[in-house]
């Protein structure tokens, strides 16, 4: 064959290179599946609870996404972090939008809001239970009866970070436990500034 150069590597060297390549690929895939332990959204650094799985985001509006799996739940819960910059529409408008994502009226979904200050940041917690209308904007919603929404709006200098957990509300005790875990995780860990 003319005009073609071949590269002859010894078999032992090729095996070594292939082994290194596969080891590197395996480590990359393992790290990607596990996801980062901490991650930034705007000016805040969040720490992922060990039991919450990292999910690859599919939308520019979502800055991070996690999956919460319970032993006997029919489907996992979803935790999404949103950041829109200073033009986020305000805390009250977003609380109203979240609560409006239930089929039932506000008086029937056990809607609660609570404001706390952690460090220098004001956090508004939101919770509700009922038939949650799941889906992406512009698409028809899928009704999810017996779902809970737990939210936290963390107000920062660069704009608010919106953290929304949705998933099956198996029992009042489970929802209370999840809410406690949610609050502890995000009140304690999220407010480490850049």
């Amino acid at each position: 064959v003319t005009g073609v150069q071949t590269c002859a590597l010894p078999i032992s060297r090729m095996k070594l290179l292939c082994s290194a390549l596969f080891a590197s690929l395996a480590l990359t895939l393992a790290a990607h599946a596990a996801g980062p332990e901490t991650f930034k959204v705007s000016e805040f650094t969040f720490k992922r609870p060990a039991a919450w799985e990292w999910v690859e985001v599919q939308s520019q509006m979502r800055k991070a996404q996690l999956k919460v799996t319970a032993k006997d739940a029919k489907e996992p819960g979803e935790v999404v972090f949103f950041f829109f910059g200073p033009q986020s529409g305000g805390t009250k408008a977003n609380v109203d939008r979240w609560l409006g994502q239930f089929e039932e009226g506000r008086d029937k979904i056990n809607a609660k809001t609570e404001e706390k200050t952690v460090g220098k940041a004001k956090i508004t917690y939101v919770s509700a239970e009922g038939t949650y209308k799941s889906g992406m904007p512009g698409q028809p919603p899928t009704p999810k009866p017996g779902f809970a929404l737990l939210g936290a709006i963390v107000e920062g200098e660069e704009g608010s970070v919106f953290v929304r957990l949705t998933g099956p509300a198996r029992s009042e005790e489970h929802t209370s436990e999840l809410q406690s875990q949610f609050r502890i995780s995000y009140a304690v860990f999220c407010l480490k500034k850049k």
Side-chain angles (χ1 to χ4, degrees), residues 10 16 23 26-27 37 49 51 54 64-65 68 75 87 90 109 139 147 152 156 160 173-174 177 179 186 191:
L16 183 63
L27 286 173
E37 188 176 314
W54 189 257
Q65 186 170 332
V68 181
E75 65 181 283
Q87 297 82 21
I109 58 173
Q139 307 238 337
F147 257 48
S160 295
E173 182 181 298
H174 173 256
E177 177 188 326
Q179 187 170 21
Y186 293 100
L191 295 169

Side-chain angles (χ1 to χ4, degrees), residues 74 98-105 108-110 128-134 141-149 166-169:
K74 56 186 170 192
W98 280 350
L99 297 178
Q101 290 178 295
F102 286 87
E103 285 186 359
E104 302 87 355
K108 294 191 172 33
I109 58 173
N110 197 22
E129 292 180 38
T131 304
Y132 181 71
K133 295 183 281 187
S134 178
T142 303
K144 303 270 188 173
F147 257 48
L149 177 146
T166 54

Side-chain angles (χ1 to χ4, degrees), residues 26-66:
L27 286 173
T28 301
L29 289 173
H32 181 71
E37 188 176 314
T38 62
F39 55 96
K40 286 191 178 192
V41 179
S42 180
E43 65 206 73
F44 303 106
T45 299
F46 294 84
K47 182 174 180 178
R48 177 178 60 86
W52 296 13
E53 298 173 42
W54 189 257
V55 176
E56 198 67 37
V57 294
Q58 302 295 320
S59 164
Q60 289 183 332
M61 292 170 46
R62 297 176 177 216
K63 302 304 177 190
Q65 186 170 332
L66 303 166

Side-chain angles (χ1 to χ4, degrees), residues 9 11 36 66 69 74 114 117 123 128 144-145 174 186-187:
L9 284 176
I11 296 292
L66 303 166
T69 306
K74 56 186 170 192
E114 182 182 357
T117 300
I123 303 177
K144 303 270 188 173
H174 173 256
Y186 293 100

